[in-house]
């Protein structure tokens, strides 16, 4: 038994969850998974349930590589005991467990439904958990409750951030080409930019929540469609956005490398745009360097780009509410870059690695955006 586990029980007793009747059976499950709170995954990473890393856990946990009894894998690392409790329920809300609410009326029905999905040994696992329920019930009732600090209320209107995944669809629309660069194996820039935009949105929201910043994040597209350049910029204008970030990848001769950030040549707020672009450039460069030292800093450049048109973004000589830049994250036609970031590598282990690499870059983009609001 560990005092950390006692602390977890106190916090679980105190915290409101949707189905309080499920506290004993889930605590029994955590008791089993963590060896009464003594496993390394529990003591080091506050993961009492053996939760593997899944992309839906962004904002609730961070991935950590860990050697468990069933092999090396990525697991969830939680920042606090509350984060673990909320993270467990987030994990159960994922699609493999769809329908669990219908079994939320009693602990036995719940574990009989989720147990076989959670653990391949199925019935044996359910039996092991159920054997620990009465002890868990006693421990919950004996536990002291803890003071839970009130959630801080963030005042004022949110700062709006628009993220623009470059390209999309199959036809040229309003100056926007459906796709430009492609990887050596044939993956398309439009799909890379959408993946990065969604990851960046998740990271911005998670980091804003943790730091008490009040932000709203909009994407110019959520699916594989193309939108004209003015229409993309207009999303910033019509929502009074503070920041507009267009995400792209370069392609050239299969050898050129590096990140560059572009700002508009005709510009009513060149200083503000340049500072924003430099932050994006530098934060991503630091992560890219760690992933692959062969990357290069290409810097901030001025270019005539329709998607960064001040008028379309809502800026004028009189007022400039929106700072904007376009980032070319790397040259995706280079084999080494594809190895780092590919969406669908042939092997599952490589897929996990590239997903983590993409997330690390998205986290850096989120840091750059949040540093500006
Ligand atoms: Zn592009």
């Amino acid at each position: 038994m560990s005092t950390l586990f006692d602390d977890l029980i106190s916090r679980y007793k105190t915290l409101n969850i949707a189905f309080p009747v499920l506290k004993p059976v889930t605590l029994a499950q955590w008791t089993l998974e963590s060896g009464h709170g003594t496993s390394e995954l529990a003591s080091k990473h506050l993961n009492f349930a053996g939760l593997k890393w899944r992309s839906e856990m962004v904002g609730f946990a961070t991935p950590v590589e860990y050697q468990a009894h069933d092999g090396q894998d990525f697991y969830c690392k939680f920042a606090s005991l509350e984060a673990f409790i909320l993270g467990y329920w987030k994990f159960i809300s994922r699609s493999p467990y769809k329908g669990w609410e219908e079994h939320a009326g009693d602990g036995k029905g719940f574990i009989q439904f989720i147990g076989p999905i959670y653990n391949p040994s199925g019935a044996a696992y359910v039996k092991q958990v159920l054997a620990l329920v009465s002890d868990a019930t006693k421990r919950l009732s004996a536990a002291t409750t803890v003071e839970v600090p009130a959630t801080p209320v963030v005042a004022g209107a949110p700062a709006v951030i628009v993220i623009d995944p470059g390209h999309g669809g199959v036809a040229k629309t309003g100056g926007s080409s459906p796709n430009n660069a492609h990887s050596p194996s044939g993956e398309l820039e439009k799909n890379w930019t959408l993946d990065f935009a969604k990851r960046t949105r998740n990271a911005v929201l998670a980091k804003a929540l943790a730091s008490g910043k009040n932000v709203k994040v909009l994407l110019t597209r959520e699916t594989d469609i193309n939108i004209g350049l003015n229409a993309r910029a207009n999303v910033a204008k019509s929502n009074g956005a503070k920041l507009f970030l267009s995400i792209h990848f370069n392609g050239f001769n299969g050898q050129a490398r590096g990140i560059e950030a572009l700002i508009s040549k005709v510009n009513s707020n060149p200083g503000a745009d340049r500072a924003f672009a430099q932050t994006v450039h530098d934060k991503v460069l630091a992560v890219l360097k760690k992933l692959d030292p062969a990357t290069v800093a290409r810097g901030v450049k001025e270019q005539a780009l329709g998607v960064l048109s001040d008028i379309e973004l809502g800026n004028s000589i009189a007022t400039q509410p929106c700072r904007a830049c376009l980032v070319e994250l790397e040259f995706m036609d280079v084999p080494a870059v594809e190895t780092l970031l590919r969406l669908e590598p042939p092997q599952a282990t490589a897929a996990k690695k590239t997903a983590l690499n993409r997330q690390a870059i998205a986290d850096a983009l989120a840091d750059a955006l949040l540093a500006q609001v």
Side-chain angles (χ1 to χ4, degrees), residues 12 20 49 51 74 81 91 127 188 195 211 214 238 335 351:
Y12 202 27
L51 301 175
F74 288 99
L81 295 170
F91 193 89
K127 209 173 153 190
L188 302 175
D195 177 89
S211 61
N214 190 7
S238 57

Side-chain angles (χ1 to χ4, degrees), residues 167 180 189 248-249 328:
H167 312 284
N180 182 20
E189 180 188 356
H248 286 252
F249 281 86
E328 300 272 8

Side-chain angles (χ1 to χ4, degrees), residues 166-167 177 179-181 189-190 193 247-250 326-328:
H167 312 284
S177 55
N179 192 66
N180 182 20
E189 180 188 356
K190 63 175 184 171
T193 60
I247 298 177
H248 286 252
F249 281 86
N250 257 324
L326 183 154
V327 64
E328 300 272 8

Side-chain angles (χ1 to χ4, degrees), residues 7 302 308:
D7 201 7
E302 289 180 13
L308 299 182

Side-chain angles (χ1 to χ4, degrees), residues 298-312:
R298 304 175 73 90
V300 176
K301 297 170 183 173
E302 289 180 13
Q303 205 169 306
L305 290 162
V307 78
L308 299 182
S309 155
D310 265 327
I311 293 168
E312 305 300 338

